[in-house]
Structure formats: structure tokens, C-alpha cells
């Protein structure tokens, strides 16, 4: 007797959990890489050396960082069976805030 191993279809919500976890795991490395890339530019070096930095509101940077972390954690702990569209929007908000944060960091040197 032979049995065939059929792969199980993914359970609903696992993809969102994976996206949220990857976003949280990549948050700090992406911020560090963006900061290094910013400091490698002439404007970035002048910002550190002579304090001639572009005026990007700090509240916007910190707000996008906190939003990315809070939305990512909310998507991770959100029950899969209760309002799945809410988890989807939490992951979309998380990744949008992360992209905004990286772009804000890169704009210092641009």
C-alpha cells in the first residue's frame, strides 16, 4: 500500500503573520542600512560634521517608527478568525510606515 503525501493548503492568516514578522525582523536592519547610505553622501557627511541637516520633523520619523512597530505587533497578536480584514490593514499600515521611515532617513542625505 502506498500513500501519497499531498501538501496541506496553507491555513488562512499565516501569510499575514509571515509578512508582519518579516517586517518587524527587517525594521532595524533596514533603518541601519538607510542611515549608512545617508551618511555616505556628501550632504549626510555635512549634516554630521557641520550640523547642516535638512529640516525633517523628528515627530514624523518617530511617529512612523512607532506606527510600524505597533501595527506589526497588532497584526501578530490579532486573532486570525476575528475580522481578518483588520489584520490585512494592520500589515499594510506596518509596511507603509516602514517604507515612509526609510524614505525619510534617506531624504536627509538626498
Amino acid at each position: 500500500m502506498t500513500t501519497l503525501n499531498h501538501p496541506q493548503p496553507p491555513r488562512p492568516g499565516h501569510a499575514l503573520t509571515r509578512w508582519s514578522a518579516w517586517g518587524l525582523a527587517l525594521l532595524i536592519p533596514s533603518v541601519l542600512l538607510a542611515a549608512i547610505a545617508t551618511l555616505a553622501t556628501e550632504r549626510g557627511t555635512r549634516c554630521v560634521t557641520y550640523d547642516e541637516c535638512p529640516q525633517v520633523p523628528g515627530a514624523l520619523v518617530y511617529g512612523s517608527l512607532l506606527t510600524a512597530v505597533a501595527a506589526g505587533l497588532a497584526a501578530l497578536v490579532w486573532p486570525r478568525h476575528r475580522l481578518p480584514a483588520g489584520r490585512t490593514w494592520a500589515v499594510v499600515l506596518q509596511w507603509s510606515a516602514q517604507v515612509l521611515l526609510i524614505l525619510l532617513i534617506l531624504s536627509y542625505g538626498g
Side-chain angles (χ1 to χ4, degrees):
M1 179 193 307
T2 60
T3 59
L4 298 175
N5 289 333
H6 294 290
Q8 295 291 327
R11 293 187 296 194
H14 280 307
L16 290 175
T17 302
R18 208 172 302 126
W19 276 99
S20 178
W22 272 106
L24 288 173
L26 292 175
L27 181 63
I28 299 301
S30 61
V31 166
L32 291 176
L33 284 175
I36 290 170
T38 299
L39 292 175
T41 63
E42 182 181 345
R43 281 184 65 187
T45 305
R46 291 184 67 87
C47 176
V48 172
T49 307
Y50 301 112
D51 199 28
E52 296 175 1
C53 302
Q55 297 299 322
V56 175
L60 190 58
V61 174
Y62 295 123
S64 61
L65 174 66
L66 291 176
T67 301
V69 170
L73 290 175
L76 281 179
V77 299
W78 196 301
R80 290 189 178 109
H81 62 282
R82 190 179 303 168
L83 194 62
R87 282 187 82 215
T88 303
W89 282 109
V91 172
V92 168
L93 177 64
Q94 173 195 5
W95 279 92
S96 299
Q98 283 184 226
V99 169
L100 176 64
L101 176 65
I102 299 306
L103 291 175
L104 286 171
I105 292 170
L106 289 173
S107 73
Y108 280 114

